[in-house]
Amino acid sequence: MHRIANIILALSAIFWANTLSGAEIRGQLELFSAGGGKRLGANELRNAVIYYIPDGGSSVSAPSKPLTMATRGKSFEPRVLPIVTGTQIRFPNDDPILHNVFSVSPGNLFDLGFYRKGDSKTWTFEKSGLVRVFCNVHYSMIGFILVLDTPFFTKPDSTGAFRLTGLPEGGGTLRIWQERGRRWSQRVSLPLKEQVKARLEQSRRRPTPHLNKFGKPYKKGRRDERYR
């Protein structure tokens, strides 16, 4: 009896392990400059986000601890941060100057006010969508937070290869976002035997046109701009 019970438990463990492991999507992303000429490298690839939305939807669970997007060298690091709804993000200031982090993106509008090096402020992102993050002091600073309703997302490696695992079988949509290109999407049915190949054409990088948090043009020559 004990032997039979052990066999049943072992088979049950295998069944649940296979169920939990789910399907996967493997793929290759290629980025090209406008006109399809020059192939873009790791710096651009690392700012792409690949995510999968099952037809039946999926539940998400926000991490228990905040994630981080720092202000460092008059830039946001990381520049692109994918998260699920309900996630808290810390915005520590690692620069020897004032920053004022804000966004006017619909559904996720916030303003953290001015704060100095060593200080940090936190915000919770409750609504899905693309959040463009700016600094009210420095026009050229921009970060992107992609708030998702799916837990199935990743970034490609330096060669453009990517892999999504633990996916539910059946139909769904695979999507790719990159700040300089149009959103890419493809219908898939899992399990998927072949690799997905995606090619995106990117526009020339330039500062995203925007106003300050008061809806007015940025002022030139303010004192904090001397820290370059």
Side-chain angles (χ1 to χ4, degrees):
M1 289 295 292
H2 288 295
R3 183 179 180 183
I4 294 174
N6 288 337
I7 292 174
I8 292 173
L9 287 173
L11 291 175
S12 178
I14 292 172
F15 170 79
W16 285 110
N18 290 334
T19 301
L20 292 173
S21 64
E24 70 175 24
I25 296 175
R26 293 176 179 266
Q28 183 72 38
L29 173 62
E30 292 182 331
L31 300 177
F32 290 85
S33 60
K38 181 181 178 182
R39 178 178 291 184
L40 304 178
N43 287 339
E44 298 297 335
L45 286 166
R46 71 165 59 101
N47 286 328
V49 178
I50 297 104
Y51 58 105
Y52 177 72
I53 303 175
D55 285 345
S58 55
S59 60
V60 297
S61 180
S64 58
K65 296 182 179 180
L67 303 183
T68 298
M69 176 179 275
T71 54
R72 185 176 302 127
K74 287 177 64 176
S75 299
F76 288 105
E77 292 188 12
R79 181 179 178 87
V80 176
L81 182 60
I83 63 172
V84 298
T85 52
T87 298
Q88 283 190 326
I89 296 182
R90 292 176 57 251
F91 295 89
N93 184 356
D94 293 341
D95 280 338
I97 54 176
L98 288 173
H99 286 302
N100 181 184
V101 180
F102 77 97
S103 177
V104 293
S105 297
N108 285 296
L109 185 150
F110 69 93
D111 177 9
L112 301 184
F114 289 96
Y115 55 107
R116 298 182 180 278
K117 182 176 181 179
D119 292 337
S120 179
K121 297 193 178 183
T122 303
W123 191 261
T124 302
F125 294 82
E126 301 286 3
K127 196 163 186 178
S128 61
L130 177 63
V131 183
R132 292 177 173 86
V133 183
F134 302 108
C135 172
N136 202 55
V137 182
H138 307 102
Y139 176 83
S140 62
M141 288 180 62
I142 180 171
F144 300 91
I145 299 172
L146 195 58
V147 188
L148 302 169
D149 284 328
T150 175
F152 309 118
F153 61 87
T154 189
K155 286 186 173 184
D157 65 18
S158 60
T159 69
F162 64 87
R163 182 187 180 197
L164 291 165
T165 61
L167 311 178
E169 294 189 0
T173 303
L174 181 67
R175 294 181 177 174
I176 300 176
W177 177 91
Q178 213 277 353
E179 64 175 283
R180 294 172 57 192
R182 296 179 179 178
R183 291 203 187 194
W184 179 98
S185 67
Q186 179 176 307
R187 289 286 303 167
V188 297
S189 181
L190 303 181
L192 194 65
K193 294 181 180 180
E194 66 277 5
Q195 280 199 355
V196 173
K197 293 184 178 180
R199 177 188 173 110
L200 279 72
E201 189 173 294
Q202 308 295 281
S203 62
R204 182 178 299 176
R205 173 170 282 182
R206 56 178 62 89
T208 300
H210 65 282
L211 301 174
N212 67 17
K213 66 180 182 180
F214 303 110
K216 297 181 180 180
Y218 279 69
K219 294 181 180 180
K220 295 182 179 180
R222 57 187 306 160
R223 61 176 185 169
D224 285 317
E225 290 293 338
R226 72 179 183 270
Y227 295 96
R228 295 187 182 275

